Amino acid sequence: MDNQEIILPDTSNLIVSSSPHVLNKEHVNGIMRDVIIAMIPACAAGIIFFGISAFNVLLLCTLFCVGLEGLMLKILGKSMNALKDGSAIVTGLLLGMNLAAGTPWWICLIGSILAIVLAKHLYGGLGYNPFNPALVGRVGLLIAFPAALTTWPVNRLSPKVAAMKEAISDLMNNDTSLVMLQNSGEFTKAQYAAIKEAFLNKTELLVDTISSATPLDAISQATMNAEGVVTGMPEMEYMDYFMGYIGGCIGETSALAILIGGAYLIFRRLIRWQVPFFYILTVLIVTGIMHMIHPDMSATPLFHILTGGLMLGAFFMATDMVTSPVSAKGAVIYAIGCGLITAVIRLWGSYPEGVSFSILFMNAFVPLIDRISAKKVFGSKEAAQGGAA
Amino acid sequence: MNLETLMTAVLFMAGTGLTLGLIIALANKFFAIEEDPRVEQTEDLLPGANCGGCGYAGCTAFAKALVAGGVEPSKCPVNSEEANSAISQLLGLELSFSEPHVAIIKCCGDNVESPEKALYNGVNDCKSAVLVAGATKSCQHGCLGLASCSRACPFNAIEINDKGIAIVHPDICVGCGKCVETCPRHLIDLVPKSANVHILCNSPEKAPLQRKACTKGCIGCRKCIKEAGDDSVHMQGFLAVLDYTKKAPMSIIDVCPVKCIQPTLGVEYVPEPKKAAPSVKTLPCHTKLGIEGTVDKAVIKKAFAQKVAAAKAESPDDKEAVADLTKAFKAANALADKFGAEKPAPAEVTNA
Amino acid sequence: MPKMFPGGVHPKDGKALSAGSEIKTAPLMDKYIVPLAMHIGAPAKLIVREGDKVLKGQVLAEANGFVSAPIHSPTSGTVISISKTSTTGEMLSVNNCIGPTGTLIPAITIESDGEDKACEPLPTIDWQNADAKTIIDRIRETGIVGMGGAAFPTSVKLSPPPEKNIDTLILNGAECEPYLTADHRLMLEEAEKIVQGAMITAKALGVEKIIIGIENNKPDAVKIMTEVAGDRAVVKSFPVMYPQGAEKQLIYACTKRRVPKGNLPMEAGCVVQNVGTMVAIYEAVVNGIPLFERITTITGSPVVEPGNWKLRVGTTLDKVLTLAKGVKKDVPVGKIILGGPMMGMAQYSLTVPIMKNASGVLLLAQNEVKQYESLPCIRCGRCVDVCPMGLMPATMSVQIEKEQFDLAENTNVMDCIECGCCSYACPSRRPLVQLYRHAKSEINAQRRKNSQK
């Protein structure tokens, strides 16, 4: 005799929904959180290289973006739950990573307004924006405040700083003198002044006020005279480029840090591997062809992929889900397009860097790419009739 | 910047602007499309809401149809009388009067009266919700409150009230009819704006099932038909339905036991005050029977029977008590007969 | 072996709960509520009246038209209530049954008299020598419908237009829905009946080739079916991927033929049938027994004793759950589903009866389900990657939300098989399948309106 009482379910709290009734565990909030984790290595590298001013820029951009997102949600009468998905934090960090350390706070604010208000909410909010918000912010700032956005502070771990520190210790040991340093031409006026100040006042070398050029700036200075002799082409220091001991935006300098983050993203299936792969491959091929034709006048393909914002753009900006095509085939077309335009701007355009513009340009084509790369419905190829096979 | 560069720039821009403007002006003249100017004039007189209530795809199409002839301006439900007569004057058309209509949502079973049987999770749209378990409202025919009609209304006349059902604001509604097809339960009808009483239920269920589904739904008791007296209200199965071509009396609102008959939103219904019920003071004959003064013979009879039974139970042989009670009974009955019809209460009664 | 179609997902299997349970026959219930529309097509036409005494297997309602099927009584007893029709034939409101779609449906309530007396079975047909028409007529007479879940009248499916060149019969033993094990147990326990049923069906269709498709998470079923079928049928096993059991995907996996877009399997020369339908056909043709019972899996984490039961149509869910010894005391139930978790229908009442197509009763605990808030599409592309029909769910869902149904039709929403892979994969928790169902009903209504013009 069964002494266990048979209990029937309580039907007052049942949920009724359409099928399917089991769902995969992944959620948008989790995706954004993983993207933020993937950006940590690059942000950390930026802070190490450029100091507290880099941290300030990242923090300010993130805070402004989150604050503006909350404000816009309120004004537009949408649910504040949307703040929880972390997309504003991602935009803020990306915007910060695209700016130079030491950017004034009001430029960060204007950039955040361009990114969140203009590029995201005026188009309808998350999921509806056609253009990458962080890039709209960056390009808007670049066109409005070109000087502020192309002033790069010196990378504390760059060889130049190491040389300056060595000069100071030489001065201390009396191996050289101020006059000799000034005449050697090894340092710019600003750098010499910093060395002099540090030596005479016996203080730490202040690098934050010195600016330097990025490697891409450097190769754009190269000239060829009438006899075909090239001057001004810098040495290719691949290790420096890979590790990031160069000038540039906060997030773009260290290829290594970005690769670590990018590997995490691909491993967790948060981005399509086709985008960075084909983007970088296309740039390699185009710049490689150019290098073969003009080996003295153009940089090597490896130089191109390790410097500038290409790594950052390929792994974090072009892979933004909302603004890239929805299918794998479309993503390949998109990435190749980005690569071509980046290479063209870098090689023949007047801007030394082409990544931001190329991605925004391809964003505009995404609806068209989606349409032409639509998958074929299962069964639409074959004509009717079985029989054979 | 020197003056020469400035002047060159200004002259160049001015010249370009003038040339292009000239080209546009010429194009406007030579490539103009012939259009009856009355179409634009008519369109100006139309409301421009593009609601489709006239049956045409927007106000421009309606204007073209008006100018072409064969349709009346009164087909536009949004336009005011003056605007319609202006159009008919402009185009030389006849203007006939068409009774303005408004939409009404025939359901008063909100989430208190007809609660949800289960938690619905899915697209917040009525037509989609019925695809999932028929939507989870207790009443299978009632309003789901997911606002499909509200979103379809081009004039924002439909609101979901705080109890979860849709209501139409008749002062804003123009009767364009766009909401009617959005309701998967077919609850929305267009009724004359002058109608001031409505039966807010569309459920054909019989009373036992109906009561389980909604405490405010029509149970088919027919009290409203009795009260109305004429065929302005009739039964369709177990549901009472109004015939809007006849004016139903507003008193049917009172007689409905479930209170699903209601006045138009915004119209206040004040029931006619009941005439004072005829009455009589409490007199000794009443007290003997153990009741208050009343003209209700049924009450008197019952009280008499009770008292007699009690007396007989107490002392079965006491005939005098019974006789006493019988006298009191007859007296009370006489008073009830005299004063039961609507006469004012008696001033003085002399006999006991 | 790689999977045999694009896309697909791997939901949690859950079959271990009931895969090892042998099929048990349910005891006689005191009441059965038998719906009149247990199949695709017109509801059956009543021929009994209230108060009539009926026997087990007796016809309660006749088929109403070509695409329809008759209804038979699951036991002997008295008809105690019927949905009434008015003199003009319209259904009045004594709907005494909540159907699986949540709406009230007409039904016949039979009160059992405890004797379970069967009516005379129909005579055995010597199917090896009978002609196709005799077999198909018997299948129609006994009310057999597709037991895989769609409940399409089998007699109609086996009567394709003569110009279609059918040469293969495919048995669907894939059972790709998680949690369900009814077909699995059927293959283990009634393999011979399945194969014989398949032979009968092949005779009715006039085909020689029979292929049985099974997913390889059921190796014991593959082994037994191969042994029993011998050279009468070919058994093929496929890697586990939902929805391998979907018609078009199964046909491609078995025969490498693609069903052309928007068409039926007969265009690819195939007819697909569930293994349960095969057993029903065997019983009907050889033993003359009509269809009124089926194998159903009762399972889920809140259920005390999950298992596979042979249930009669009309058994209400509360009785069904009693068979499985009810639910555990400390596990509150979040959802009750008729069918599998990917395509089944959620229920809100325990008075819903089992119909001919109820392959499973699945209970999900409250901590396994949630009320999801749907977020905007972030165009991540996961739905596009998993769609087995090669559609673009992301694009379609945004079009449908904006009520652009003509655009959605161009994006091929009508080819959606409602398998649920896209909703399963969507991180924004968008109710994609519900949107497509809505779009399909709107597009069909529009097509009807256009054809009437």
Side-chain angles (χ1 to χ4, degrees), chain C residues 43-346:
Chain C
K45 212 163 44 176
L46 267 178
I47 58 174
V48 296
R49 281 192 302 260
E50 241 176 72
D52 281 0
K53 294 236 185 308
V54 293
L55 295 170
K56 179 163 80 171
Q58 180 174 335
V59 180
L60 298 174
E62 288 176 334
N64 193 2
F66 181 51
V67 184
S68 185
I71 308 284
H72 299 84
S73 175
T75 186
S76 59
T78 322
V79 177
I80 56 174
S81 117
I82 296 183
S83 305
K84 293 187 173 59
T85 54
S86 72
T87 44
T88 49
E90 66 181 33
M91 195 70 71
L92 289 179
S93 67
V94 184
N95 294 306
N96 46 8
C97 164
I98 300 179
T101 52
T103 50
L104 292 174
I105 55 173
I108 307 169
T109 310
I110 312 263
E111 190 176 41
S112 162
D113 61 8
E115 285 170 35
D116 205 25
K117 190 155 172 258
C119 66
E120 255 329 291
L122 298 164
T124 308
I125 294 182
D126 176 17
W127 53 270
Q128 269 144 340
N129 302 321
D131 65 344
K133 186 169 182 319
T134 321
I135 300 176
I136 295 179
D137 280 346
R138 172 61 64 88
I139 291 177
R140 186 179 166 79
E141 217 181 319
T142 44
I144 297 189
V145 300
M147 311 271 276
F152 191 74
T154 308
S155 58
V156 178
K157 209 169 194 184
L158 296 180
S159 319
E163 62 266 17
K164 303 291 176 196
N165 201 354
I166 313 285
D167 65 352
T168 313
L169 171 68
I170 299 179
L171 298 194
N172 191 346
E175 199 160 44
C176 51
E177 280 263 19
Y179 288 97
L180 300 186
T181 53
D183 288 348
H184 183 184
R185 294 305 312 182
L186 201 61
M187 287 192 282
L188 290 180
E189 298 174 29
E190 309 271 19
E192 179 60 32
K193 281 191 189 170
I194 296 175
V195 177
Q196 287 219 18
M199 306 285 293
I200 300 174
T201 316
K203 186 85 183 14
L205 277 173
V207 304
E208 301 272 318
K209 203 152 139 206
I210 304 178
I211 305 180
I212 308 179
I214 309 178
E215 267 190 341
N216 62 14
N217 56 1
K218 300 183 255 292
D220 46 357
V222 175
K223 186 155 166 285
I224 288 195
M225 289 304 289
T226 320
E227 275 170 22
V228 170
D231 54 357
R232 295 184 283 177
V234 176
V235 172
K236 293 199 177 179
S237 79
F238 311 115
V240 178
M241 183 64 108
Y242 177 82
Q244 180 63 72
E247 228 172 28
K248 302 186 179 174
Q249 281 68 21
L250 189 65
I251 291 175
Y252 180 71
C254 290
T255 60
K256 285 288 191 301
R257 297 181 201 163
R258 289 172 197 263
V259 176
K261 179 168 124 66
N263 280 331
L264 294 169
M266 62 169 106
E267 300 291 339
C270 301
V271 167
V272 182
Q273 291 284 346
N274 182 269
V275 289
T277 320
M278 297 293 101
V279 175
I281 290 181
Y282 173 86
E283 295 286 351
V285 168
V286 173
N287 297 334
I289 301 178
L291 178 61
F292 53 78
E293 54 187 6
R294 63 157 299 133
I295 317 291
T296 306
T297 309
I298 309 172
T299 184
S301 60
V303 174
V304 170
E305 236 184 63
N308 305 290
W309 289 83
K310 193 185 241 179
L311 298 172
R312 304 193 197 194
V313 294
T315 316
T316 45
L317 276 187
D318 47 359
K319 299 286 192 325
V320 169
L321 289 174
T322 330
L323 290 174
K325 303 257 181 16
V327 294
K328 300 181 187 153
K329 198 154 58 162
D330 45 357
V331 183
V333 175
K335 266 187 182 170
I336 300 179
I337 299 167
L338 263 184
M342 297 297 283
M343 288 181 77
M345 289 189 274

Side-chain angles (χ1 to χ4, degrees), chain A residues 7 21 26 322 375 378 385, chain C residues 327 341 344 379 382 384 389:
Chain A
I7 310 172
H21 304 283
E26 212 179 12
V322 179
K375 292 168 78 163
F378 187 67
Q385 264 331 311
Chain C
V327 294
R379 300 168 47 85
R382 279 155 176 66
V384 177
M389 290 301 288

Side-chain angles (χ1 to χ4, degrees), chain B residues 223-258:
Chain B
K223 281 203 174 138
C224 50
I225 296 182
K226 272 194 223 131
E227 176 67 23
D230 55 12
D231 53 354
S232 55
V233 189
H234 59 268
M235 292 306 285
Q236 222 175 52
F238 294 99
L239 173 68
V241 171
L242 280 172
D243 181 353
Y244 282 98
T245 57
K246 310 188 172 68
K247 222 166 152 68
M250 284 188 86
S251 53
I252 55 175
I253 295 177
D254 284 323
V255 301
C256 177
V258 293

Side-chain angles (χ1 to χ4, degrees), chain B residues 225-311:
Chain B
I225 296 182
K226 272 194 223 131
E227 176 67 23
D230 55 12
D231 53 354
S232 55
V233 189
H234 59 268
M235 292 306 285
Q236 222 175 52
F238 294 99
L239 173 68
V241 171
L242 280 172
D243 181 353
Y244 282 98
T245 57
K246 310 188 172 68
K247 222 166 152 68
M250 284 188 86
S251 53
I252 55 175
I253 295 177
D254 284 323
V255 301
C256 177
V258 293
K259 298 279 173 274
C260 71
I261 306 184
Q262 288 178 12
T264 308
L265 196 70
V267 171
E268 216 192 292
Y269 170 62
V270 178
E272 267 179 39
K274 286 208 173 79
K275 300 201 185 89
S279 65
V280 106
K281 280 196 300 205
T282 305
L283 294 165
C285 58
H286 297 120
T287 327
K288 219 173 212 163
L289 291 172
I291 50 176
E292 303 268 310
T294 176
V295 297
D296 191 343
K297 281 180 139 171
V299 173
I300 297 171
K301 189 167 177 183
K302 191 167 171 198
F304 172 61
Q306 272 180 343
K307 279 287 182 194
V308 165

